[in-house]
Amino acid sequence: MSHPGPASVERVVDSPLKAQFEAFIDQHRAALHDCLDGLTGEQARRSLVASRTTLLGLVKHAAFVERVWFDEAVTGRSRAEIGIPGTPDESFALTEEDSIDAVRRDYREACEASREATAHLDLDDVLPGNRRGPLPLRWVYLHVLRELAQHCGHADILREQVLDGAAPAPPTTRRAAGR
């Protein structure tokens, strides 16, 4: 009887810890996506700080983050091959085509691609394509979670400023933390 080769064996990854990481990452992904709820295009693009950071730019940047950590790091493809900016700062730059719907759609697609790219990986699997060198998926999950949490906080503050304090910010940070 022949034994199937490695290419034909489907690897099943079932780690409760991995599922916890993914649940927290998904909560923060949703919070960033939802920070644009009820805003006009002008409000989403409003610049209130010296950097390029806007609410729409944060969500666009989050799609870049997904592609850096779950495409570039997993596959080793270059940023040019992936079709993303070369630097994080560039990922905040908005074009005329960057509507709320378009940026949200791109972010959802990037998140889904990230889930697919890591579905077959264990937390200790090493991702070869990061510029810092090979890193375990566990490190990448923690880094992405930290970055998304930071940007959720930025979004809460920017949203409150955009709405001139007239309406409270959506509970992105509270929802992400499960409170």
Side-chain angles (χ1 to χ4, degrees):
M1 180 166 123
S2 73
H3 189 263
S8 64
V9 174
E10 185 172 324
R11 186 168 167 201
V12 177
V13 176
D14 184 21
S15 162
L17 183 57
K18 183 180 180 200
Q20 289 173 345
F21 278 125
E22 290 171 345
F24 278 108
I25 290 170
D26 278 342
Q27 286 174 341
H28 285 79
R29 286 170 172 155
L32 273 177
H33 178 275
D34 294 349
C35 79
L36 300 171
D37 283 347
L39 297 181
T40 66
E42 186 276 326
Q43 288 172 318
R45 289 172 168 273
R46 189 173 298 159
S47 178
L48 299 164
V49 294
S51 69
R52 291 182 172 174
T53 307
T54 63
L55 286 164
L56 192 60
L58 276 171
V59 178
K60 185 174 180 177
H61 170 72
F64 166 84
V65 167
E66 294 285 337
R67 290 184 174 108
V68 165
W69 290 106
F70 300 118
D71 189 337
E72 181 181 34
V74 172
T75 68
R77 295 189 318 150
S78 72
R79 292 177 186 192
E81 289 174 287
I82 297 167
I84 59 175
T87 68
D89 187 53
E90 293 172 283
S91 72
F92 285 91
L94 298 172
T95 67
E96 289 194 25
E97 292 79 33
D98 288 328
S99 67
I100 291 173
D101 289 340
V103 168
R104 278 180 152 176
R105 182 175 43 257
D106 184 57
Y107 184 46
R108 285 190 305 268
E109 290 169 3
C111 292
E112 185 55 37
S114 296
R115 288 183 198 97
E116 290 174 16
T118 58
H120 68 284
L121 299 173
D122 286 318
L123 291 175
D124 294 323
D125 286 346
V126 175
L127 308 182
N130 185 266
R131 293 175 178 201
R132 294 178 178 139
L135 296 166
L137 179 62
R138 176 187 320 269
W139 189 98
V140 171
Y141 273 3
L142 287 169
H143 176 80
V144 169
L145 182 57
R146 181 196 58 81
E147 184 158 348
L148 292 177
Q150 179 181 15
H151 292 320
C152 283
H154 296 150
D156 282 345
I157 293 166
L158 287 175
R159 186 174 167 94
E160 187 175 335
Q161 288 178 320
V162 162
L163 295 174
D164 295 324
T172 56
T173 306
R174 280 178 279 145
R175 180 176 54 238
R179 289 186 248 153

